[in-house]
């Protein structure tokens, strides 16, 4: 069995991308590596460099996710 060596990237969704970017840049010292504005086909996204080869992608959604998700 192979060993897990790390996580290349992780994606989070939010209704307030500016607030979440500010939180992670302030808390982790992450830097904004890429940002794309929303268009008619795709949501707004931001990619944060959190060090090494690791990145955090944040996708802005119009509505909050449901809290009663079935695992």
């Amino acid at each position: 069995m192979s060993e897990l060596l790390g996580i290349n990237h992780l994606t989070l969704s939010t209704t307030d991308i500016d607030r979440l970017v500010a939180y992670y840049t302030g808390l982790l010292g992450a830097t904004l590596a890429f940002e794309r504005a929303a268009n008619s086909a795709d949501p707004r996204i931001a990619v944060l460099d959190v060090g090494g080869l690791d990145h955090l992608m944040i996708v802005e959604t119009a509505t909050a996710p449901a809290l009663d998700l079935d695992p």
Side-chain angles (χ1 to χ4, degrees):
M1 177 181 233
S2 33
E3 294 181 33
L4 178 63
L5 302 176
I7 297 173
N8 179 263
H9 73 274
L10 180 68
T11 303
L12 301 176
S13 63
T14 182
T15 56
D16 188 348
I17 201 168
D18 295 317
R19 184 175 178 193
L20 204 55
V21 167
Y23 176 78
Y24 281 104
T25 55
L27 178 71
L28 298 177
T31 57
L32 184 62
F34 175 78
E35 187 172 4
R36 183 189 70 205
N39 60 45
S40 61
D42 298 307
R44 181 178 173 201
I45 65 166
V47 177
L48 302 177
D49 183 345
V50 294
L53 298 176
D54 300 322
H55 293 84
L56 175 63
M57 178 183 284
I58 304 170
V59 178
E60 192 167 57
T61 60
T63 58
L67 299 176
D68 60 343
L69 298 176
D70 183 6

